[in-house]
Amino acid sequence: MAHVSAAERRPQLIKAAIDLMTREGVAAGSTRAIAAELGVAQATVHYTFGTKEDLYRAVMEQLTEDLVAQVERAAPEDAGFEAAVAAFAAALWRTVGEQPTSYQLLTELSMFALRTPSLSEALRSHYGGIVDVTAKLVNEAAERTGHRLAQPAETIARFFLAGFDGLTMQHLSLPDEAAEHTALQALVSAVVALAGGRLDLVTVPAG
């Protein structure tokens, strides 16, 4: 059998892990099972990634990169700020409908990482990366359209993601297309208002 380098084997193992855990859940994703999914020795997984946690980290990164790439391709070049945010949200929401298993797997991996000390930093890095990408898209839309942001792009990104994550969980748990569309419109409207300084923030006691 021809030798396959670690660089070539890496994406194959990531895909095998995604396929397996999408079907059977994160708990089923042992290195032995992932190796069997691809038809290689278990030692190949450890040689390529080091640990199971390293492989899980790579799976999270791959799933996120794939989703972000789809959204970035959908960003309009000639739209105003409001339309750009709406297009971004619509494109991202479309991926939820088209790839619900990817979001379910990301959610499962995130919950697993919260209880796995060796993955806690990977989860922080993973979600921080999502915030950074979203803030970058907000900044780019504002700069392209001459829109002055009333709040830092990171604050706007965190607000949007908080609402979007909740909508995603509702879609996975209790789907209702009409209610979800209305909620998505409300979220986009609130994000645009926050970005434009038109959303009055109610004082909430700290702590």
Side-chain angles (χ1 to χ4, degrees):
M1 183 180 293
H3 172 72
V4 178
S5 69
E8 293 175 285
R9 190 63 82 191
R10 182 181 176 86
Q12 296 173 354
L13 284 168
I14 291 173
K15 182 180 185 304
I18 290 173
D19 290 345
L20 173 67
M21 291 191 287
T22 294
R23 289 196 318 269
E24 302 181 25
V26 172
S30 66
T31 55
R32 183 184 300 276
I34 292 167
E37 179 81 9
L38 187 59
V40 299
Q42 184 179 7
T44 301
V45 180
H46 292 289
Y47 174 75
T48 305
F49 287 96
T51 66
K52 180 176 71 174
E53 286 75 17
D54 290 331
L55 174 56
Y56 281 15
R57 181 185 298 110
V59 167
M60 292 170 69
E61 291 171 352
Q62 186 63 58
L63 288 169
T64 303
E65 285 176 13
D66 291 345
L67 294 169
V68 168
Q70 294 178 56
V71 172
E72 288 183 324
R73 287 196 296 270
E77 293 293 332
D78 55 354
F81 182 78
E82 181 176 322
V85 174
F88 166 70
L92 190 57
W93 186 249
R94 215 162 26 245
T95 66
V96 176
E98 294 171 353
Q99 302 167 59
T101 54
S102 293
Y103 282 91
Q104 182 175 342
L105 180 53
L106 270 173
T107 301
E108 288 181 39
L109 283 168
S110 296
M111 295 303 103
F112 177 79
L114 283 173
R115 291 188 175 274
T116 307
S118 59
L119 275 175
S120 59
E121 184 54 41
L123 180 60
R124 286 176 58 86
S125 176
H126 160 74
Y127 203 79
I130 295 174
V131 172
D132 288 345
V133 168
T134 305
K136 173 175 168 284
L137 291 172
V138 169
N139 261 327
E140 288 176 348
E143 290 172 2
R144 188 177 64 250
T145 60
H147 185 90
R148 181 181 175 279
L149 297 177
Q151 295 285 345
E154 181 179 337
T155 300
I156 297 167
R158 283 175 170 270
F159 176 65
F160 170 77
L161 290 169
F164 192 86
D165 288 347
L167 276 175
T168 300
M169 184 57 69
Q170 286 184 21
H171 177 76
L172 294 174
S173 307
L174 190 67
D176 183 325
E177 185 175 345
E180 289 163 2
H181 184 66
T182 299
L184 183 63
Q185 287 180 306
L187 174 61
V188 171
S189 299
V191 168
V192 170
L194 179 66
R198 300 189 306 276
L199 186 65
D200 293 330
L201 299 181
V202 176
T203 299
V204 178

